[in-house]
Each structure stands twice: as structure tokens, then as C-alpha cells.
Amino acid sequence: MRSFVEAPYPVKLSGWALFKGEPGALEPNAGVLPYDVATPLFSDFAEKYRTVWVPPGSPARYHATETFDFPVGTVLSKTFMYPRGPRTGAPEGSAGNGDRSRRLVETRLLVHAKEGWVSLPYVWDEDGKDATLGLVGTTVPVEWKDARGEVRTLAYEVPNANQCLGCHEHDKRMTPIGLKARHLNKPFAYEPGGENQLARMVRAGVLDRAPADSPHSAVWNQPASGTLEQRARAYLDANCGHCHSPHGPAASTALDLRATADTPRKLGVCKPPVAAGRGSGSTLLYDIVPGKPEESILVYRLKSTDPGVMMPEVGRTLVHEEGVELLSEWVRQMKGSCKD
Ligand code: HEC
Ligand code: HEC
């Protein structure tokens, strides 16, 4: 593993030596720890493989609700890929096992440089052997088989380096999003044995401590992991909360979709939108109307693929039907009305 804290950054992903072994096998190098998050961000059905590396002897500082405080030199990576064969139902994050039957698309790095967090998107070469720094964004044709075995195709959109800030912004500065206690407090299938991720991070010197009462999020599509309410809130937290927070790019909407939001109004219940018009379907009055998903702007925008309407506004081109179903169900069982 090599870390760079100022420009020029390596033009090839291999310049960081994050991975060893066969090119493209994503086998983490010494000190590079894979992880995943309880409920991920929907990104057009791409599968993701994430790693964290901190300079030896400098663990991140734990925080109960915010992103952990990582030292300068930290390198975080997230690789997007499409399996070529049918999905096996293998847990997310278990991809680093040398499975060659997938199309690697991009590896995004967030590096804690001297000037603050820097975003470096690397786009994989067609042969899957290395990836090249591509700051301008591009589209990559991909193909995969969905859960029903149907072949689906897509012009996958690799964001440009400026778009990263559109989601990763906290009080106007770039920040990591997923490395929070509630997203990480779950088991991970390390090789050879599984372990709680926070505990492993402490043992590996990546994190300074992991209190026994650390919060944890539900898994949006696993009913055993939480109630409908908890899973819907986990979905909103992971897919919307980075923008819809008092510190994020959508702060002006006063809609707070983080797990920490503590009133129905902050979540949009009976809240009129800041801007009427297309984004509100022209006739809809509130972000959420209890019992009425079809009258709720939040559901309407989740269902849309119109660039002027859809939420999130970047990061997807397809509708996440399963996510729409979950949030519709959540709104449907809410009691009350907006008239009284
Ligand atoms: C649509 C919103 C969105 C955009 C655009 C986006 N990200 Fe992210 N990113 C997220 C979210 C949400 C997470 C945390 C959840 C996860 O890991 O899936 C994340 C996680 C990451 C991670 C893992 C560490 C962390 O922050 O949790 C890296 C590295 C990363 N993004 C890099 C980038 C780079 C580089 C770009 C621009 C090329 C970018 N991202 C664009 C939303 C976005
Ligand atoms: C990349 C940042 C970003 C992400 C991620 C995002 N939004 Fe938004 N959202 C915005 C911005 C900016 C606005 C205000 C402009 C507009 O209405 O289009 C907005 C407006 C809204 C509104 C209207 C709110 C109001 O009261 O005015 C709703 C509802 C909404 N978003 C729902 C969602 C949901 C649900 C998600 C997650 C599935 C989500 N958004 C994810 C940036 C984002």
C-alpha cells in the first residue's frame, strides 16, 4: 500500500498498491481492510466492494453518530462492478475473492490529503487489469442478469470529480459518508472467519474504540433485521441523508432524512415542499401524506427518472422498484392526515 497526500496522484489505480495478486482480483494488500455497510446506496444495481486503509499507528477516532475522524493519509476505496452471471445472493462485500466473472467499472478513492479530502475516480480498462484516473466522467455499457435471470443492459454513468461533492458535502467540505458506527456495526465475512466490523477495525488499528452500545442500522431488505419503520428509515438514511441533512447539499429543503432525525415533520410528514412545480408533480401538496403514498412527493420523486424530478438527482438512471415498494408501504401504514 502506498499513500499520497498531495498532487500529483497516481494516474493508474495500481500506483496505490491497494490490491495484490492477479490484476483485477481485488485482493486487499496488507493493512487494507474490506468492509460493507448495513444498507447501501442504490446505484443502478451495481455491486460494490469497499476498503479502508489508515497510516499505521494512526487509528480513526470513533463517533457515535457522525463519520469517524480519519487521519491525514487515509485511503478509502469503493469499486463498482456488474456480475456477468446470475447473482448468487452472496453478501455484499464478499467480492474480493478473485471471482473473475464480473465487469469492473470504476474504483472511487477518497484520500485524506493535506488540503482535506480529495476525490479520485478511476475507470477500469475493458480488460479489467487496471484502472485509469478519469476526472471528467464517462459512460460504460454494462450488462447483467437480474434476480429473475433476465439480461439487463445499461449505459452506466461514471460521475465526474465535481459531482462527488454533490453528495459528499458536509458544511461545504468534502467528507466520507459510510464510515459511521450505525452503518458498520454488523458482521462481515472476513477470510478466514466472520467478525463484527467495528471490533475488527479496532483490532486492526483502523479505529480507536468501539463502545458496546454503538448504534446499528437495519438492513433495508431483511425483515429480520428491523421493523418496516426501521428499514424504511435505514433506506432514507443511506440513500438520501447525506444530502438531506442540515449540513448537506439539500439543507435548504429543511427535509432531514438521516437516521437521527427525530420528528415526523423533519422527515417530510405534512411538510409542503420548498419549491412547487415539476418536482412536486404540480398537484401534490406535501412530501409525505400519511396513509397515501400516491399523494406523497417523496414517493413520487423516488419513482421518477425525469432528471428534473427524480431523487436522488444523481447516481442512478433506473428506478429502484424494491426501494419504492418499501417506502410506499411505510407511508401507507402511517396514521393521521394533513388536514387537521
Ligand atoms: C449520489 C450520491 C453520491 C455521489 C455522486 C458520489 N458518492 Fe461516494 N458515496 C455515497 C454514499 C451514500 C456513500 C456511503 C455508502 C456506501 O458506501 O455505499 C459513498 C461512499 C463512498 C466511498 C467509500 C467511503 C465513504 O465515503 O463512505 C468512496 C471512496 C466514495 N464514495 C467516493 C466517491 C467519489 C470519488 C465520487 C465521485 C466520482 C463519489 N463518491 C460520488 C454517495 C455518493
Ligand atoms: C445529491 C443530493 C440529493 C440526494 C442524494 C437526494 N436529494 Fe432530494 N433534494 C435535493 C435537492 C438539492 C432538493 C431541492 C431542489 C428540488 O426540489 O429539486 C431536493 C428536494 C427533495 C424533495 C422536496 C423536498 C422539499 O420539502 O422541498 C424531496 C421530497 C426529496 N428531495 C426526496 C429525496 C429522497 C426520498 C431521497 C433519497 C431517496 C433524496 N431526496 C435524495 C438533493 C438530493
Side-chain angles (χ1 to χ4, degrees), residues 35 37 39-43 48 50-51 67 76-78 80 92 106-111 118-121 158-168 174-180 183 237-240 242-243 312-316:
Y35 72 93
V37 291
T39 288
L41 170 73
F42 172 71
S43 312
K48 299 168 191 171
R50 308 170 183 78
T51 66
T67 298
L76 308 173
S77 85
K78 183 169 165 188
F80 291 64
E92 218 211 343
E106 52 163 337
T107 292
R108 302 177 179 175
L109 297 192
L110 279 181
V111 176
V118 174
S119 45
L120 300 169
V158 177
N160 67 46
N162 296 326
Q163 287 172 305
C164 314
L165 190 64
C167 288
H168 283 267
M174 191 77 192
T175 177
I177 297 172
L179 288 138
K180 297 187 176 79
H183 299 311
D237 187 34
N239 284 277
C240 327
H242 43 282
C243 284
E313 49 183 9
V314 288
R316 72 167 173 94

Side-chain angles (χ1 to χ4, degrees), residues 42 44 301-302 304-305 310-312 314-319:
F42 172 71
D44 282 349
R301 299 189 67 159
L302 195 67
S304 175
T305 50
M310 69 180 211
M311 283 290 146
V314 288
R316 72 167 173 94
T317 59
L318 304 173
V319 177

Side-chain angles (χ1 to χ4, degrees), residues 166-167 235-236 239-240 242-244 249-250 252-253 255 257 271-275 279 287 297-298 301-302 308 311-314 327:
C167 288
Y235 189 91
L236 292 173
N239 284 277
C240 327
H242 43 282
C243 284
H244 288 284
S252 65
T253 62
L255 194 60
L257 299 177
K271 175 192 174 301
V274 167
D287 290 342
I297 295 170
L298 186 144
R301 299 189 67 159
L302 195 67
M311 283 290 146
E313 49 183 9
V314 288
L327 292 186

Side-chain angles (χ1 to χ4, degrees), residues 6-22:
E6 59 195 337
Y9 298 102
V11 174
K12 290 288 180 184
L13 182 64
S14 54
W16 296 86
L18 274 168
F19 308 115
K20 63 179 180 187
E22 217 185 309

Side-chain angles (χ1 to χ4, degrees), residues 121-166:
Y122 289 85
V123 181
W124 282 87
D125 306 336
E126 178 93 45
D127 64 9
K129 294 211 164 116
D130 206 348
T132 309
L133 189 57
L135 298 170
V136 295
T138 179
T139 59
V140 178
V142 294
E143 187 183 288
W144 77 101
K145 275 196 191 137
D146 69 12
R148 285 170 303 178
E150 275 167 38
V151 176
R152 301 184 59 172
T153 57
L154 172 74
Y156 178 90
E157 287 180 7
V158 177
N160 67 46
N162 296 326
Q163 287 172 305
C164 314
L165 190 64

Side-chain angles (χ1 to χ4, degrees), residues 194-205:
E195 189 176 356
N196 176 280
Q197 296 191 118
L198 294 178
R200 168 61 70 98
M201 285 184 176
V202 172
R203 273 205 312 124

